[in-house]
Amino acid sequence: MTQPRYGVLLVNLGTPCQPTPRCVKCFLSQFLADERVVDLPRWQWMPILHGIILNTRPKRVARAYQSIWQEGGSPLKVISHRQREALAELLAQRSGESVPVELGMTYCKPGLREGLDKLEQAGVERIVVLPLFPQYSCSTTGAVVDALAATLKQKRSMPEYRLIRDYHRDPAYIKALAQSVRESWAEQGRGERLLVSFHGVPQRYVDEGDLYRDHCEATARALAAELELDAEAWTLCFQSRFGKEPWLQPYTDETLEALPKEGVTSVDMISPAFSVDCLETLEELAIEGKQAFMEAGGENYHFIPCLNDRDDHIAMMADLVERHAATWASEPVATLP
């Protein structure tokens, strides 16, 4: 049996197993208990989480998931599995040999341990870890690093691994985003303004050193440059704020409500922080965002899907992986006993 030169662990945030209050509560209890996500003192935060939020929020969030649920699971899970299969196939085509690719989620299933165990069973001793968060944040990629360390701590033998921290300015990523915008314009017409919406984080995180806002701004500027947009033709904004403290601004919902009053009645919406369509894009932006814009006086609203398993997106992933695994790929292949 030939030992793989290396394997790949794709990581995304996670999703409930079913669109029910019970499953959503399980997911939120893991997600919102992570100190990377909410860093308030545990004595202060945990009573709020378990006493209030987990007793009120799951029903509303479950209804939102029900509006986008697909056969086979949540869009994030379904599309992430398609990405895994497509990436494994492309890496094998390029290299002429099998490159195991597995999926792990920071929260809920399939977890990081499941992905790592499958790679270990395939004989993988070297892993490229690719968190599917183009822009680094302590609350996303940082949480992946913590979860990875916690999982490996339980193993007597651990693999060598290389982490792709971010790819917010990768030329192939920017070109894929731009192409998705051009295709939307060709199919649905071009709006007066392109809104580039990123998931928000508390402003305090950035003040304390998180790179996230810098990365988001760099992505947005690079996308605008690739599309040859003037400054007045696009707007950067941040969605999904949670809690009472200030988050990164301008807020997406407030921007959508204000634009018609400024005479902008047609917009295109893209959210480059997400590699896979999920609740925050398909429900919050495609449904709620459109409703808010139209109720404020807008006339045309077009949501541009995430890159998902587009060929150019998968090719970009393969490029990233191959660059990080270059020295491993050039070594002789070992034969397992």
Side-chain angles (χ1 to χ4, degrees):
M1 177 181 176
T2 300
Q3 181 180 22
R5 297 177 194 266
Y6 67 93
V8 181
L9 181 66
L10 292 180
V11 186
N12 214 319
L13 188 128
T15 176
C17 297
Q18 295 291 334
T20 63
R22 181 180 178 181
C23 289
V24 169
K25 182 176 182 178
C26 179
F27 169 69
L28 291 179
S29 68
Q30 293 183 36
F31 175 49
L32 295 177
D34 192 333
E35 292 185 69
R36 287 286 196 175
V37 177
V38 181
D39 68 345
L40 295 174
R42 298 297 90 180
W43 65 264
Q44 179 182 357
W45 173 242
M46 297 309 280
I48 297 173
L49 176 61
H50 289 278
I52 301 174
I53 294 174
L54 293 180
N55 289 320
T56 58
R57 194 173 178 85
K59 288 183 180 179
R60 180 174 64 81
V61 175
R63 288 194 296 270
Y65 270 109
Q66 289 164 12
S67 71
I68 65 166
W69 208 256
Q70 299 179 358
E71 183 178 353
S74 73
L76 184 144
K77 182 178 180 180
V78 171
I79 299 169
S80 292
H81 278 294
R82 295 208 306 257
Q83 288 179 330
R84 182 197 66 78
E85 294 169 1
L87 180 60
E89 181 179 350
L90 182 57
L91 289 171
Q93 289 176 355
R94 289 184 176 185
S95 66
E97 57 191 63
S98 176
V99 179
V101 179
E102 295 296 340
L103 176 67
M105 301 289 187
T106 314
Y107 314 103
C108 288
K109 295 184 178 295
L112 294 189
R113 186 180 186 94
E114 293 174 67
L116 289 169
D117 285 348
K118 287 181 180 180
L119 290 173
E120 182 179 3
Q121 293 163 11
V124 171
E125 294 183 353
R126 292 168 168 172
I127 301 173
V128 176
V129 181
L130 174 53
L132 293 172
F133 310 114
Q135 299 78 25
Y136 171 85
S137 173
C138 63
S139 60
T140 52
T141 307
V144 171
V145 174
D146 290 350
L148 185 62
T151 302
L152 293 177
K153 185 178 180 180
Q154 303 172 36
K155 292 181 174 290
R156 292 297 181 187
S157 177
M158 61 178 285
E160 179 181 358
Y161 70 89
R162 295 173 180 172
L163 176 81
I164 300 176
R165 188 191 69 168
D166 67 85
Y167 51 95
H168 69 285
R169 288 187 300 183
D170 183 89
Y173 163 65
I174 299 300
K175 288 183 180 300
L177 288 174
Q179 184 58 25
S180 73
V181 174
R182 294 188 187 101
E183 290 174 6
S184 175
W185 287 346
E187 294 171 5
Q188 304 184 80
R190 177 172 174 173
E192 299 169 83
R193 187 77 58 88
L194 176 67
L195 297 189
V196 187
S197 178
F198 294 84
H199 196 290
V201 299
Q203 177 63 48
R204 176 171 51 83
Y205 289 10
V206 172
D207 294 341
E208 294 171 351
D210 195 335
L211 301 170
Y212 185 65
R213 183 173 188 118
D214 288 344
H215 283 191
C216 292
E217 290 178 349
T219 296
R221 288 195 300 269
L223 174 60
E226 182 69 24
L227 292 169
E228 299 181 338
L229 297 179
D230 296 332
E232 298 77 17
W234 64 279
T235 297
L236 170 72
C237 47
F238 296 91
Q239 65 188 83
S240 310
R241 66 187 184 276
F242 177 77
K244 295 183 179 180
E245 71 174 306
W247 280 43
L248 297 181
Q249 298 184 42
Y251 298 134
T252 299
D253 56 353
E254 293 182 358
T255 300
L256 287 170
E257 293 169 2
L259 283 176
K261 299 180 179 65
E262 299 170 7
V264 178
T265 59
S266 63
V267 298
D268 302 305
M269 174 69 75
I270 189 170
S271 192
F274 299 94
S275 66
V276 174
D277 275 313
C278 55
L279 188 71
E280 287 80 1
T281 62
L282 297 175
E283 198 274 339
E284 183 180 353
L285 292 184
I287 298 175
E288 289 189 356
K290 179 177 182 178
Q291 181 178 355
F293 183 68
M294 302 301 276
E295 288 179 354
E299 298 176 1
N300 292 291
Y301 179 101
H302 296 137
F303 169 70
I304 301 170
C306 294
L307 295 178
N308 295 322
D309 57 341
R310 290 171 54 106
D311 289 346
D312 49 7
H313 192 206
I314 301 302
M316 181 223 69
M317 291 186 197
D319 292 344
L320 286 173
V321 167
E322 288 173 337
R323 287 201 297 270
H324 282 74
T327 57
W328 293 341
S330 63
E331 294 180 2
V333 178
T335 303
L336 295 174

